[in-house]
Amino acid sequence: MMVSAKNKLSVIVLLLGFMYTATAQNTQKTYLSGKDFKHPVKWEFMCTGGNNSGQWTSIDVPSQWELKGFGTYTYGRWYKELDQKEPSKEEGFYKYEFEVPATYKNQQVKIFFGGVMTDTHVKINGKSAGAAHQGGFYRFSYDISDLLVYGQKNLLEVHVKKHSDNEHVNNAERKADWWLFGGIYRPVWLEIKPENHIGNIFINAEADGQMRVNISGSNIPSGASVSASVKKLGSDGDFKQEQSVDIDKKTETLSFHWEHVDAWNPETPNLYVLQLQLKKEGRLLHKLEQRFGFRTIDFRKKDGIYVNGKKIVMKGINRHTIWPESGRSTDRDLSIMDVNLIKDMNMNAVRTHYPPDDHFLDACDSLGLFVLDELAGWQNPYDKETGAKLIAEMVTRDVNHPSVIIWDQGNEGGWIDELDSVFYQYDPQKRIVIHPWADYNGWDTHHYPTYLTGVHRFLDGENVFFPTEFMHGTYDNGHGSGLEDFWNRFRESPLFAGAFMWAFSDAAVLRTDWKGERKYDSKGSLAPDGILGPHREKEGSFYAVRDIWCPVQFAPLRITSSFDGTFLITNDYIYTDLNECKLTYSVKSIPEKAFYTAGEPVSVAHGEIELPDIEPGETRKVKMDVRPSFFDGDWLEITAHDPAGRLLNVWTWPIHLPGYYSDKFLVKGESGKTALTEKGDIVELQGGNIKVRIDKNSGIIRNVYRNDREIPFNKGPYPVGMKTEVKKVETRKENESAVCIVHYNGGIDRIKWAMHPDGRLKMEMVALKNAGRSSGFDGAFYEGEIDKFGITFNFPEKEVSGIKWFGKGPYRVWKNRLRGTNYNLWQKEYNNTITGESFENLIYPEFKGYHADLIGAKLEAGEDTFRVFSESENVFLRLFTPDQPKYALKGASAYPGFPPGDISFMYEIPAMRSFKPIEHHGPHSQPSNIRIKKGDEGIQMNLWFDFRNINDQ
């Protein structure tokens, strides 16, 4: 056989794959392409337009041709925000030679395409394999048995039109809020079956062991029978419980009953393999195997969705199939990684926007996720004829996945009511068909509800509701921010069945046509911005969602000296008793000089917490062992793992009040002398080699010196959320300290600065004490709509290299996204990450922003390094101002406003919006108000500042 050099290796691989005997009765599968984008096969290729067009060359199959340097990148909002007249319309021509063994003759040979964008014309040896396939997200096939030359070379030619000849397909798939790609992006293979064979099977296997198997497309001789057996995956031994039924060409349904089966659910995803053997007169004609799960779905209008008799609540995410370097061409490892990441956020459900890779559904089956499987159609439907064909392809491929519990027809208007019945024609399980965002047929899936949506919908509605999109994320907006409020409100209703956040990951793609440093493109704020970066980098919301949706929930707890180890724990699983989970604790302690020299936290006590029987929905008391060493620690850390060993969450609580920690960590120097001098409008406080100059007129720190070198921590404290003016200034010596007290009119009552002999500087602020008298509120101070409250200072960003701090971290927070952070001794280097945009250097956690529950911090800035310790609770540390996105299309601010200055100490910080304005969110997102009455002591904030250079102590 003469083979061209470029195809020689691939033909050898094919020949090895074809080596089997003519007596084999299994279905054979032989790949013509690579199995995935990481292991492609080269085919001949020519692109008609855009980059590298007009000449024959080669391309990887599977792949998206844009990511391989061909054609033109187009985003699906070309007709709207991008103001383009039309999308790119290049076409691709593929050629590939392959040899078919003579043993294939008299068998059925089909060629399968896992997915091609968008219109596909297939020829074998110059003859059409059938009508062009239209629709870019679906598996399709042709019977090419009569077109092949057996024992010789065969030529496969594929003509792909990126832009469909069918305008309805373009409306459904290419006027869409996603990237528009071209090419053969999923594998291509041959499927070979014996002449007499079982065709497609459609399984309905219920939790009690009842099974019905519908079959179609078979070639069954008269007088045949089918024997069936099942085997649980992961179990030892062979297939068991063999049963046999007679079958003929007219048989459409086989019925069986299996004893002692373990049902599938996302918490215990038990899977089985069904083996069917077609026999006649004792001779095996064909054998096939299909993986499946036993589970019963019951859709009860005006009630809920039940799986195996349990009412479910879906904690879900919307996911696009995408990888930056390969577009929608992926692989099994990526699917497994994504499902694991979804599970790691304590989610139990995922919604697709077109049929995903079958290996993604395999991973959902085996790892355990509910799936909403969707017919593409973003705000525009297919025509009836095309839609019916694509539904048939979609259901035929995906029907046997136990993870798939709901069919979606289109999205946000991309449906035709009459096509719902097509799903039921092919699905023996009769899963419901929903129209995402519609209140339709008893299922309310409204998108992006406000917190108070309720006029005959949701909490005030009569239909089962589960928003198929909510908590929209862009540039760190949404996702974990405000989730807790929405979730708690939704769960007030017994009709709530779950909700799906938008979206899983950033849909940025590699631009092979761009030169320079910028390589990845998300079309500004258009392409989906997810909880994870494009390469699955974890944003702060990852941990917030993990905490809020954790199936183990702790009642609010404050550890005091009377703590005896008792907790209240709620089980938020659907199926699992918490006695199957593992709960461990560790009491952590930080070395005393950790903010001055190297030092890592150590565990002073640890152990396992015994969990009693706690059934789903139940709250019970749990008690840990409080050993004598417990109160030697700085914080308590509790970790939970599920029955399979997956980390569920980590919780932490401080063991002491902040004053304990400042006394422990703030190094006291040698006793010396202090000096207090007044020079015109300036008060100078000096201790050791530290001097601080305070302006009498403004109360602002003008200068800080270490020896004769100025440390640029100045122009503060400025009030945030208050108005003040200096009333008077007092100076005096208190014991060994030099003291300056600035009294104010307005929001701040006074700030006391005390310089200690060793150079430590303490600030004691009292705000809003008796403020009502100067505010006209008859003895009370009341101020509404406060989203920022505290004090702020200037400090140059350019010299900062990192921070080491004890508090909640390591991620920044917003007022409505505090959960998911934990106490620890954290350290992170300076970065300038713009969430959802810094794809070339996406560093998490972000450096800039608000950080919760500051206890102590060392801001690393070379010779300007300083430390700060808080003796007050609930202080937020603000570190600089995050940069706004450079490429946002709509011009909206990505972040709520930050205070002036650079370093701030806050009691109130703003909330982050999620698609909707803040006023449409829940109570934890709303601005606060402050009420101070006559006799109140006011709001106090006590901080220590250490500008000394004592790293060697």
Side-chain angles (χ1 to χ4, degrees):
M1 179 181 69
M2 299 299 293
V3 182
S4 63
K6 67 171 67 177
N7 286 330
K8 186 173 183 179
L9 179 60
S10 57
V11 171
I12 292 173
V13 173
L14 278 175
L15 287 172
L16 291 173
F18 287 147
M19 290 180 182
Y20 76 102
T21 66
T23 59
Q25 289 84 25
N26 293 332
T27 299
Q28 304 294 313
K29 185 174 183 178
T30 301
Y31 283 91
L32 303 183
S33 71
K35 290 185 178 181
D36 54 57
F37 81 101
K38 292 179 182 174
H39 306 91
V41 170
K42 292 287 187 184
W43 288 18
E44 294 181 69
F45 179 71
M46 182 182 71
C47 188
T48 63
N51 296 304
N52 298 314
S53 59
Q55 57 184 350
W56 281 96
T57 179
S58 64
I59 194 172
D60 290 344
V61 180
S63 71
Q64 308 271 203
W65 64 51
E66 296 86 352
L67 279 304
K68 293 300 175 181
F70 300 96
T72 304
Y73 286 80
T74 303
Y75 194 77
R77 304 285 280 181
W78 56 269
Y79 66 101
K80 204 168 185 180
E81 286 87 351
L82 299 176
D83 199 28
Q84 290 177 234
K85 293 182 179 179
E86 59 181 24
S88 59
K89 296 181 179 180
E90 69 270 12
E91 301 174 16
F93 290 87
Y94 296 80
K95 292 181 182 180
Y96 186 72
E97 285 190 341
F98 63 100
E99 187 161 339
V100 177
T103 51
Y104 281 11
K105 197 168 185 179
N106 299 321
Q107 301 191 72
Q108 183 192 70
V109 182
K110 284 187 174 182
I111 186 169
F112 279 82
F113 293 82
V116 183
M117 293 176 176
T118 297
D119 287 3
T120 312
H121 303 253
V122 179
K123 290 182 179 181
I124 301 293
N125 298 321
K127 296 180 180 180
S128 174
H133 182 270
Q134 296 180 327
F137 296 98
Y138 308 89
R139 186 184 74 183
F140 58 96
S141 65
Y142 299 99
D143 188 334
I144 59 172
S145 306
D146 296 335
L147 300 178
L148 294 171
V149 180
Y150 297 93
Q152 299 182 37
K153 290 187 298 182
N154 289 265
L155 176 65
L156 168 63
E157 296 175 277
V158 185
H159 177 194
V160 179
K161 294 183 178 180
K162 182 175 173 179
H163 192 81
S164 178
D165 291 335
N166 184 333
E167 282 306 306
H168 295 284
V169 173
N170 292 325
N171 290 339
E173 297 186 8
R174 297 178 60 76
K175 288 186 175 180
D177 198 3
W178 56 53
W179 284 100
L180 309 179
F181 295 116
I184 303 172
Y185 68 100
R186 288 176 180 165
V188 182
W189 67 93
L190 299 180
E191 182 182 271
I192 305 95
K193 290 183 177 181
E195 180 181 7
N196 295 125
H197 59 265
I198 300 170
N200 295 314
I201 65 172
F202 304 79
I203 299 173
N204 182 15
E206 299 191 353
D208 62 0
Q210 293 287 346
M211 174 187 281
R212 292 176 300 281
V213 181
N214 293 353
I215 60 175
S216 69
S218 304
N219 184 15
I220 298 172
S222 60
S225 66
V226 168
S227 65
S229 56
V230 295
K231 177 182 178 181
K232 186 177 179 181
L233 282 182
S235 64
D236 296 330
D238 299 323
F239 287 89
K240 298 178 181 179
Q241 303 186 43
E242 182 172 330
Q243 302 177 43
S244 182
V245 295
D246 293 334
I247 186 172
D248 58 32
K249 295 181 179 180
K250 297 180 181 179
T251 303
E252 296 180 350
T253 304
L254 308 177
S255 295
F256 307 97
H257 182 265
W258 309 100
E259 301 287 346
H260 311 299
V261 300
D262 295 319
W264 183 96
N265 68 65
E267 295 167 19
T268 51
N270 298 302
L271 292 173
Y272 288 78
V273 175
L274 170 68
Q275 184 184 89
L276 296 178
Q277 295 186 6
L278 178 64
K279 299 178 180 179
K280 183 177 180 180
E281 298 174 351
R283 183 167 60 93
L284 178 62
L285 304 177
H286 181 216
K287 180 174 67 175
L288 66 80
E289 295 180 356
Q290 175 64 55
R291 197 172 76 163
F292 73 100
F294 289 98
R295 57 114 177 87
T296 301
I297 312 177
D298 190 3
F299 303 99
R300 305 177 189 174
K301 294 182 181 180
K302 316 295 185 185
D303 185 351
I305 301 172
Y306 290 76
V307 177
N308 304 335
K310 298 288 188 181
K311 194 179 216 180
I312 68 168
V313 173
M314 294 174 284
K315 302 172 180 177
I317 191 74
N318 287 264
R319 175 189 180 266
H320 275 291
T321 300
I322 196 161
W323 187 249
E325 285 75 28
S326 60
R328 305 203 193 284
S329 190
T330 64
D331 72 338
R332 183 176 298 276
D333 290 343
L334 178 59
S335 289
I336 292 171
M337 177 179 70
D338 282 2
V339 173
N340 272 315
L341 286 166
I342 293 170
K343 295 280 289 186
D344 287 345
M345 288 186 277
N346 289 313
M347 297 174 177
N348 64 4
V350 62
R351 176 189 171 212
T352 69
H353 285 262
Y354 32 78
D357 296 293
D358 51 2
H359 47 69
F360 179 77
L361 295 180
D362 286 341
C364 293
D365 292 341
S366 59
L367 295 172
L369 285 178
F370 292 129
V371 176
L372 275 59
D373 199 356
E374 189 160 307
L375 181 80
W378 194 85
Q379 298 187 348
N380 295 286
Y382 297 103
D383 60 275
K384 290 182 183 180
E385 181 181 357
T386 303
K389 290 178 181 178
L390 297 179
I391 292 169
E393 292 173 352
M394 171 182 172
V395 177
T396 298
R397 193 198 73 164
D398 297 345
V399 66
N400 296 322
H401 289 281
S403 57
V404 176
I405 64 166
I406 292 174
W407 304 114
D408 301 357
Q409 192 197 155
N411 173 60
E412 299 184 351
W415 54 72
I416 298 175
D417 291 359
E418 296 92 321
L419 288 179
D420 288 354
S421 61
V422 181
F423 288 92
Y424 300 120
Q425 291 175 26
Y426 292 90
D427 181 13
Q429 299 177 30
K430 306 304 180 190
R431 302 165 175 94
I432 59 169
V433 179
I434 64 170
H435 296 174
W437 93 352
D439 191 354
Y440 172 76
N441 195 26
W443 314 104
D444 188 354
T445 60
H446 178 58
H447 284 185
Y448 306 107
T450 67
Y451 181 77
L452 293 176
T453 295
V455 178
H456 205 65
R457 295 197 90 158
F458 287 17
L459 271 69
D460 300 310
E462 61 186 42
N463 289 328
V464 176
F465 71 93
F466 49 103
T468 41
E469 289 181 26
F470 87 127
M471 307 309 297
H472 190 290
T474 306
Y475 302 124
D476 206 26
N477 296 169
H479 297 134
S481 301
L483 172 62
E484 187 173 17
D485 280 343
F486 277 98
W487 196 248
N488 289 340
R489 177 163 170 78
F490 290 159
R491 296 193 71 170
E492 293 175 19
S493 170
L495 293 175
F496 180 52
F500 294 78
M501 289 190 286
W502 179 270
F504 173 69
S505 64
D506 297 351
V509 299
L510 176 67
R511 292 297 298 256
T512 56
D513 56 341
W514 280 1
K515 307 300 181 184
E517 294 183 0
R518 189 174 171 220
K519 299 178 181 178
Y520 295 97
D521 186 11
S522 64
K523 281 301 174 186
S525 52
L526 285 184
D529 185 1
I531 296 177
L532 300 161
H535 294 101
R536 305 331 188 232
E537 301 90 340
K538 296 175 182 177
E539 296 180 8
S541 281
F542 179 95
Y543 299 96
V545 173
R546 184 180 76 175
D547 186 7
I548 295 165
W549 278 352
C550 182
V552 179
Q553 291 291 322
F554 284 82
L557 172 70
R558 181 183 179 93
I559 294 179
T560 67
S561 59
S562 59
F563 177 64
D564 66 354
T566 300
F567 307 91
L568 282 176
I569 293 181
T570 299
N571 182 350
D572 201 31
Y573 275 115
I574 300 172
Y575 304 93
T576 305
D577 194 303
L578 285 191
N579 65 7
E580 300 179 47
C581 297
K582 185 176 182 180
L583 213 62
T584 57
Y585 74 90
S586 180
V587 179
K588 299 294 185 69
S589 179
I590 301 174
E592 290 184 357
K593 293 186 178 181
F595 289 94
Y596 297 87
T597 60
E600 297 297 327
V602 296
S603 177
V604 297
H606 58 87
E608 187 169 346
I609 301 173
E610 184 176 351
L611 285 168
D613 294 344
I614 308 177
E615 295 182 356
E618 187 177 24
T619 299
R620 291 198 60 182
K621 186 182 293 185
V622 175
K623 191 168 183 178
M624 63 171 281
D625 182 21
V626 177
R627 302 177 185 178
S629 59
F630 180 88
F631 290 98
D632 294 334
D634 293 319
W635 78 92
L636 170 64
E637 181 175 291
I638 293 181
T639 303
H641 290 84
D642 75 1
R646 184 186 299 274
L647 174 65
L648 293 173
N649 199 29
V650 178
W651 301 264
T652 55
W653 297 267
I655 295 175
H656 307 282
L657 295 175
Y660 169 91
Y661 300 109
S662 60
D663 186 63
K664 174 181 178 178
F665 298 132
L666 179 56
V667 170
K668 300 173 181 64
E670 296 180 1
S671 181
K673 294 183 178 181
T674 58
L676 190 161
T677 58
E678 298 186 44
K679 299 178 181 178
D681 293 337
I682 299 297
V683 174
E684 288 187 357
L685 305 176
Q686 185 165 356
N689 64 354
I690 302 300
K691 180 167 62 177
V692 175
R693 302 175 74 243
I694 300 172
D695 190 311
K696 291 182 179 180
N697 296 316
S698 63
I700 299 302
I701 293 178
R702 284 270 192 91
N703 313 94
V704 176
Y705 293 98
R706 181 193 303 129
N707 294 321
D708 294 326
R709 188 181 190 281
E710 183 173 1
I711 298 171
F713 183 83
N714 53 28
K715 295 184 181 179
Y718 288 110
V720 178
M722 303 172 281
K723 293 182 179 180
T724 63
E725 62 179 8
V726 174
K727 182 167 58 176
K728 65 176 183 178
V729 175
E730 290 183 70
T731 59
R732 62 172 179 258
K733 283 291 193 75
E734 289 185 0
N735 298 322
E736 296 179 332
S737 298
V739 173
C740 174
I741 304 175
V742 182
H743 297 267
Y744 298 86
N745 290 319
I748 298 177
D749 181 74
R750 65 184 181 274
I751 295 180
K752 176 182 177 181
W753 298 97
M755 177 66 77
H756 288 248
D758 59 0
R760 292 174 296 137
L761 179 67
K762 187 174 186 181
M763 183 203 84
E764 297 176 333
M765 180 181 76
V766 178
L768 304 187
K769 179 178 173 60
N770 295 321
R773 294 181 180 178
S774 60
S775 304
F777 279 97
D778 191 24
F781 178 90
Y782 176 87
E783 185 68 43
E785 300 295 307
I786 294 176
D787 67 349
K788 294 181 283 290
F789 184 88
I791 55 175
T792 189
F793 297 84
N794 282 12
F795 191 84
E797 186 177 328
K798 62 180 180 179
E799 300 299 328
V800 174
S801 60
I803 186 171
K804 183 178 187 179
W805 86 103
F806 179 33
K808 282 191 171 181
Y811 282 82
R812 69 185 185 193
V813 299
W814 306 101
K815 178 182 179 178
N816 54 357
R817 197 187 75 189
L818 301 179
R819 294 188 62 172
T821 55
N822 280 299
Y823 287 95
N824 208 324
L825 183 62
W826 301 107
Q827 181 135 14
K828 60 181 173 182
E829 296 181 359
Y830 174 88
N831 64 71
N832 202 21
T833 291
I834 300 174
T835 309
E837 187 169 281
S838 299
F839 303 122
E840 281 72 29
N841 191 31
L842 198 57
I843 300 173
Y844 291 123
E846 307 97 331
F847 189 82
K848 301 179 184 181
Y850 298 107
H851 299 74
D853 293 331
L854 170 70
I855 292 175
K858 175 185 178 183
L859 189 68
E860 296 165 344
E863 292 187 77
D864 297 331
T865 294
F866 72 93
R867 300 163 183 83
V868 59
F869 301 90
S870 174
E871 287 190 353
S872 300
E873 296 182 86
N874 305 316
V875 172
F876 293 97
L877 171 64
R878 174 275 190 105
L879 288 176
F880 307 106
T881 300
D883 286 3
Q884 293 286 344
K886 301 175 184 177
Y887 306 106
L889 295 181
K890 299 176 183 178
S893 175
Y895 309 116
F898 276 75
D902 307 296
I903 308 293
S904 309
F905 305 93
M906 312 286 289
Y907 278 134
E908 184 71 20
I909 63 172
M912 174 60 79
R913 63 183 174 83
S914 172
F915 202 54
K916 302 285 188 179
I918 286 294
E919 55 267 27
H920 291 175
H921 289 239
H924 287 91
S925 299
Q926 302 311 312
S928 294
N929 55 63
I930 298 175
R931 186 172 179 85
I932 299 293
K933 293 184 177 181
K934 182 180 179 180
D936 289 347
E937 294 183 347
I939 297 174
Q940 301 182 35
M941 182 185 290
N942 298 335
L943 302 173
W944 285 92
F945 294 93
D946 188 357
F947 300 104
R948 300 170 298 169
N949 185 6
I950 52 174
N951 288 327
D952 297 330
Q953 289 195 15

